[in-house]
């Protein structure tokens, strides 16, 4: 949530910062702002998208070769020009941008107000700016980098909550200061210029070297150099990493939206999730990143999968997969519930935290809670430099490439693929024979091409989506392996088209949901030719008997489905346990085309942000 970018060097800061903000816009997009230092401080900020800020700057230019900027996802204080970042301190000489939540801001604000501080916004961020400014003034002495760092350190010691910040002060013109706790912050190292950013995608065109700051790191930088220390003043054990991402990776290419590009990338992202992880000799999966011996894997008695949103739906699919392939008791819990629930877990329970970004606050908290209780906690992440990837005891990377569209697509299929590999690995240690292992591997290897063949139906799916764009609401129904896909299909539809959509197990219809069925409420049935096919057909008949339109996802060659459903989208045949990897693709395309038809902003749906780094 919220994106930060700061620049210090020899070039004009504003164009670099605006370009970076455009790349970070997926992190939040209700308002934006930018400050530069050129003798004095200049600020431009406004409600709305980065485009609005760019227009404002075109009308009222701003110059200077040092600057900080921000794109906001509102937490404290409404969406107004005043609440947009950057925020000044009391002296008007210090500005700050912030990603995170200062939980004790109200207490701090009251104390500062009692000392005469006046606030212009309702944000927690402005309180932090005032607090740092107060300490800067209080430390006294000459205007030095050390004094500014010390002021930041003192203020952050009084703060509870999360932050990724960038600060600059008029009296210390050649310096930017950044710090993080709970919200990501990257230092980009350039030639004669340096950067701070929430995410490396913002600075990918400028640098090939970065330091992923750790919680409690404080960094000060000028154009040539940087210093990193900890909140307690000690040395930070930072590492310089190579930036592998390229500008192509973070561009839309010829696609109109990131979401469509990412849907179409799935044959490749799935191949990447499998690459090097299937051993023909042992007819099993190889997941070295788990850092577990065969004996340790054999001793696992129970698995808990946790995550949020789409990652939680992947976990639900994983529950079915692990139970059926590995015969292991598996439970799924929303990370937001896990962290506060006192779930009884025996000592041989292994917890998997699943997160594309690796920065989701609830998933990170669940990981830490699980580790605190002494459980081995593993990550399934896409972002290799993320906090969850770093803090987990091991795990499996998705290697899906950047996912920028706010609606998760390729990360879902990568997560389900990795959970299938895990099922294969644990199943082969327990009861699966060599030939069963080989069969699963062969079926898995065939998946990317099967996905490619479904993608060829995008235009056909578009016509169906347009046909049903009149709908007032939509039901998504599936059973067993495809119940999680029904949930995921409904989530995709609601978040990008704002259409009311619900996902349910098909058989739950009769227990209440069926009351919602009408000609204005189409149902999407996920009904491949699997062990529950006949049951799904009966449920479809029940909907048709109540004049509900039905769109079905079925298996190629099935002639029966077309007789009961109004429209059918076919997927290639595959084993039941792999069907979520195929059935979800038409649902992603269906939601995408319907949202485009309704004129929605597919990549940046209202009220959302890609990475939810606040609780
Ligand atoms: O980065 P994460 O996988 O941890 O994100 C979890 C959810 O916030 C995310 O899946 C969200 O639900 C998506 N917008 C769904 O499309």
């Amino acid at each position: 949530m919220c994106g930060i970018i700061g620049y210090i060097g020899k070039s004009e800061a504003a164009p670099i910062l605006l370009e970076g903000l455009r790349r970070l816009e997926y992190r939040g997009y209700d308002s934006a702002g930018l400050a530069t230092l050129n003798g004095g401080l200049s600020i431009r900020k406004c409600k709305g998208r980065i485009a609005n800020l760019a227009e404002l700057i075109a009308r009222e230019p701003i110059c200077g070769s040092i600057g900080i900027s921000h794109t906001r996802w509102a937490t404290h204080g409404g969406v107004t020009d005043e609440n947009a970042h950057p925020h000044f301190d009391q002296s008007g000489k210090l500005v700050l941008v912030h990603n995170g939540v200062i939980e004790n801001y109200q207490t701090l604000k009251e104390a500062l107000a009692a000392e005469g501080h006046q606030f212009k916004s309702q944000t927690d961020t402005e309180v932090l700016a005032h607090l740092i400014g107060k300490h800067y003034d209080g430390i006294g002495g000459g205007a030095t980098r050390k004094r500014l760092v010390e002021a930041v350190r003192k203020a952050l010691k009084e703060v509870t909550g999360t932050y990724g910040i960038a600060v600059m002060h008029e009296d210390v013109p050649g310096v930017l200061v950044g710090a993080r706790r709970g919200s990501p912050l990257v230092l980009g190292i350039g030639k004669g210029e340096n950067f701070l950013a929430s995410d490396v995608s913002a600075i990918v065109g400028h640098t090939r070297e970065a330091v992923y700051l750790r919680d409690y790191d404080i960094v000060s930088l000028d154009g040539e150099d940087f210093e990193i220390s900890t909140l307690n003043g000690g040395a930070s054990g930072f590492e310089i990493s190579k930036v592998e991402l390229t500008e192509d990776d973070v561009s839309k290419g010829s696609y109109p939206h990131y979401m469509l590009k990412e849907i179409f990338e799935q044959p490749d992202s799935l191949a990447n999730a499998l690459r090097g992880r299937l051993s023909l000799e042992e007819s099993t999966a190889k997941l070295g990143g788990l850092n577990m011996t065969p004996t340790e894997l054999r001793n696992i008695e129970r698995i808990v999968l946790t995550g949020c949103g789409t990652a939680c739906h992947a976990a639900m699919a994983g529950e079915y997969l692990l139970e059926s392939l590995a015969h292991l008791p598996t439970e799924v819990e929303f990370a937001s519930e896990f962290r506060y629930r006192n779930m009884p877990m025996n000592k041989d329970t292994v917890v998997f935290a699943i997160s594309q970004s690796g920065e989701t606050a609830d998933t990170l908290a669940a990981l830490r809670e699980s580790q605190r209780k002494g459980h081995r906690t593993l990550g399934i992440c896409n972002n290799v430099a993320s906090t969850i990837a770093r803090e987990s005891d091991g795990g499996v990377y998705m290697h899906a490439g950047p996912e920028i569209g706010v609606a998760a697509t390729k990360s879902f299929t990568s997560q389900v693929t990795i959970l299938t590999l895990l099922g294969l690995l644990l199943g082969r240690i327990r009861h699966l024979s060599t030939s069963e292992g080989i069969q699963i591997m062969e079926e898995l290897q065939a998946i990317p091409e099967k996905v490619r063949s479904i993608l060829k139906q995008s235009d056909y799916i578009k016509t169906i989506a347009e046909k049903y764009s009149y709908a007032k609401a939509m039901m998504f129904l599936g059973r067993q392996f495809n119940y999680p896909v029904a949930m995921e299909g409904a989530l995709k539809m609601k978040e990008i088209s704002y259409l009311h959509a619900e996902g349910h197990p098909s058989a739950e219809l009769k227990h209440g949901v069926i009351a919602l069925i009408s000609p204005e409420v189409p149902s999407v049935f996920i009904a491949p030719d699997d062990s529950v096919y006949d049951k799904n057909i009966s449920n479809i008949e029940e909907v048709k008997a109540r004049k509900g339109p039905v769109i079905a996802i079925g298996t190629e060659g099935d002639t029966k489905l077309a007789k009961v459903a109004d429209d059918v989208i076919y997927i290639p045949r595959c084993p039941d346990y792999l069907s979520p990897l195929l059935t979800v693709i038409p649902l992603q395309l269906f939601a995408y085309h319907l949202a485009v038809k309704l004129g929605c902003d597919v990549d940046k749906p209202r009220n959302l942000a890609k990475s939810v780094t606040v609780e």
Side-chain angles (χ1 to χ4, degrees):
M1 329 230 73
C2 301
I4 289 175
I5 170 165
Y7 172 81
I8 185 159
K10 296 186 187 75
S11 305
E12 273 303 314
I16 294 171
L17 296 180
L18 277 172
E19 181 206 342
L21 284 181
R22 285 189 193 100
R23 295 247 169 91
L24 291 177
E25 200 171 14
Y26 71 92
R27 300 181 68 90
Y29 34 82
D30 58 46
S31 45
L34 193 154
T36 55
L37 193 48
N38 189 22
L41 282 171
S42 311
I43 283 204
R44 303 286 181 270
K45 58 182 188 174
C46 58
K47 280 194 296 190
R49 301 284 169 95
I50 310 300
N52 298 23
L53 178 67
E55 276 169 28
L56 176 64
I57 291 174
R59 281 196 310 274
E60 299 169 28
I62 184 168
C63 58
S65 57
I66 161 168
I68 59 176
S69 60
H70 186 265
T71 178
R72 181 172 186 242
W73 186 89
T75 56
H76 293 60
V79 180
T80 62
D81 290 352
E82 294 71 37
N83 287 340
H85 301 207
H87 288 284
F88 281 110
D89 74 335
Q90 180 66 26
S91 73
K93 291 181 166 189
L94 178 145
V95 277
L96 173 140
V97 289
H98 166 225
N99 169 20
V101 173
I102 307 300
E103 287 166 8
N104 59 338
Y105 86 103
Q106 203 59 50
T107 319
L108 295 168
K109 189 172 187 175
E110 281 162 22
L112 287 163
E115 292 169 22
H117 286 249
Q118 287 172 341
F119 297 92
K120 296 189 176 73
S121 77
Q122 287 78 51
T123 63
D124 50 339
T125 303
E126 190 184 12
V127 176
L128 182 56
H130 278 243
L131 191 62
I132 298 174
K134 173 188 144 172
H135 285 303
Y136 181 84
D137 296 337
I139 291 168
T144 64
R145 179 171 179 156
K146 206 169 154 215
R147 180 174 161 192
L148 184 57
V149 171
E150 222 27 60
V152 169
R153 179 170 286 127
K154 278 187 153 194
L156 292 180
K157 282 186 174 171
E158 291 179 45
V159 153
T160 54
T162 54
Y163 52 79
I165 56 168
V167 183
M168 61 183 188
H169 197 295
E170 207 171 280
D171 291 347
V172 196
V175 177
L176 282 186
V177 177
R180 77 156 272 179
R181 176 179 179 264
S183 301
L185 196 63
V186 184
L187 165 72
I189 306 165
K191 290 197 169 60
E193 56 185 11
N194 287 315
F195 303 81
L196 281 175
S198 300
D199 164 337
V200 80
S201 64
I203 49 178
V204 81
H206 301 278
T207 171
R208 303 315 298 156
E209 282 189 326
V211 177
Y212 296 93
L213 297 173
R214 300 169 194 209
D215 275 351
Y216 303 107
D217 275 352
I218 300 181
V219 59
S220 69
L221 47 147
D222 56 32
E224 300 296 333
D225 210 357
F226 63 89
E227 283 170 27
I228 305 178
S229 56
T230 65
L231 189 61
N232 289 327
S236 161
F238 70 86
E239 278 169 32
I240 298 181
S241 310
K242 214 167 146 14
V243 175
E244 304 288 357
L245 217 61
T246 66
E247 287 199 83
D248 278 353
D249 292 331
V250 293
S251 85
K252 282 199 286 244
S254 56
Y255 289 91
H257 297 100
Y258 281 109
M259 183 180 175
L260 191 64
K261 176 181 181 231
E262 288 155 9
I263 291 173
F264 272 83
E265 280 172 347
Q266 287 175 108
D268 294 331
S269 56
L270 292 178
N272 288 343
L274 293 174
R275 185 160 297 120
R277 289 177 172 158
L278 291 173
S279 161
L280 273 175
E281 283 148 40
E282 297 173 44
S283 55
T284 189
K286 283 182 118 94
L287 299 173
L290 297 178
N291 299 330
M292 290 176 81
T293 64
T295 312
E296 286 171 326
L297 291 168
R298 183 73 187 91
N299 288 339
I300 298 176
E301 293 208 330
R302 184 165 168 244
I303 290 184
V304 173
L305 306 172
T306 190
C308 299
T310 290
C312 196
H313 296 155
M316 287 166 65
E319 183 177 15
Y320 284 90
L321 277 161
L322 289 166
E323 285 176 357
S324 89
L325 294 181
H327 295 179
L328 256 175
T330 306
E331 203 172 332
V332 175
E333 184 53 284
F334 287 115
S336 52
E337 290 298 312
F338 182 100
R339 63 185 293 189
Y340 293 119
R341 189 178 156 189
N342 203 6
M343 201 192 264
M345 299 197 289
N346 64 16
K347 70 176 172 42
D348 296 314
T349 302
V350 169
V351 177
F352 279 85
I354 307 176
S355 172
Q356 186 284 131
S357 62
E359 299 292 350
T360 299
D362 284 324
T363 313
L364 179 59
L367 174 141
R368 287 176 177 160
E369 175 64 8
S370 157
Q371 285 179 327
R372 197 190 56 73
K373 288 183 169 166
H375 292 283
R376 191 185 291 265
T377 309
L378 302 159
I380 299 180
C381 292
N382 193 30
N383 180 358
V384 295
S386 63
T387 313
I388 293 177
R390 265 203 320 270
E391 291 196 11
S392 48
D393 302 316
V396 189
Y397 289 124
M398 299 178 202
H399 299 311
E403 188 180 70
I404 293 170
V406 166
T409 51
K410 60 178 176 171
S411 61
F412 176 82
T413 46
S414 295
Q415 287 156 357
V416 174
T417 301
I418 288 165
L419 290 164
T420 313
L421 290 171
L422 189 65
L424 169 61
L425 173 67
L426 296 174
R428 282 283 291 127
I429 286 176
R430 288 168 171 75
H431 67 99
L432 290 173
S433 66
T434 311
S435 60
E436 284 168 322
I438 288 180
Q439 199 186 343
I440 295 169
M441 286 167 52
E442 285 173 355
E443 293 287 359
L444 259 173
Q445 279 172 316
I447 288 291
E449 276 317 305
K450 290 183 181 179
V451 168
R452 206 183 297 283
S453 75
I454 300 171
L455 293 171
K456 289 192 184 134
Q457 299 181 67
S458 180
D459 287 344
Y460 167 63
I461 295 169
K462 182 176 173 201
T463 57
I464 299 178
E466 291 180 350
K467 175 175 167 189
Y468 291 97
S469 61
Y470 69 86
K472 300 255 175 309
M474 249 182 223
M475 295 296 143
F476 288 78
L477 301 150
R479 300 179 81 128
Q480 289 202 333
F481 290 100
N482 283 301
Y483 159 47
V485 177
M487 299 291 292
E488 178 58 9
L491 178 62
K492 289 292 86 82
M493 188 58 81
K494 341 182 210 218
E495 71 179 330
I496 61 168
S497 74
Y498 317 142
L499 199 70
H500 177 90
E502 296 187 11
H504 295 283
S506 315
E508 281 296 299
L509 261 178
K510 291 191 278 296
H511 300 283
V513 185
I514 203 159
L516 297 171
I517 299 300
S518 78
E520 285 77 41
V521 181
S523 295
V524 180
F525 270 90
I526 305 149
D529 187 5
D530 60 9
S531 63
V532 287
Y533 174 75
D534 289 332
K535 307 283 174 198
N536 265 319
I537 295 286
S538 302
N539 297 136
I540 293 175
E541 300 275 16
E542 287 156 10
V543 168
K544 289 304 298 172
R546 282 147 188 98
K547 300 196 169 27
V550 169
I551 303 133
I553 313 295
T555 304
E556 277 166 11
D558 177 355
T559 48
K560 198 163 147 194
L561 203 50
K563 293 189 184 126
V564 285
D566 297 279
D567 290 281
V568 185
I569 304 165
Y570 292 102
I571 58 155
R573 185 167 292 281
C574 71
D576 294 11
Y577 58 88
L578 291 183
S579 62
L581 293 170
L582 302 186
T583 53
V584 76
I585 310 289
L587 300 190
Q588 295 169 346
L589 287 166
F590 184 57
Y592 170 79
H593 288 304
L594 201 140
V596 170
K597 169 75 180 165
L598 295 180
C600 299
D601 189 344
V602 171
D603 281 336
K604 298 186 200 82
R606 71 184 179 207
N607 302 340
L608 292 174
K610 180 70 178 164
S611 173
V612 183
T613 54
V614 294
E615 192 178 346

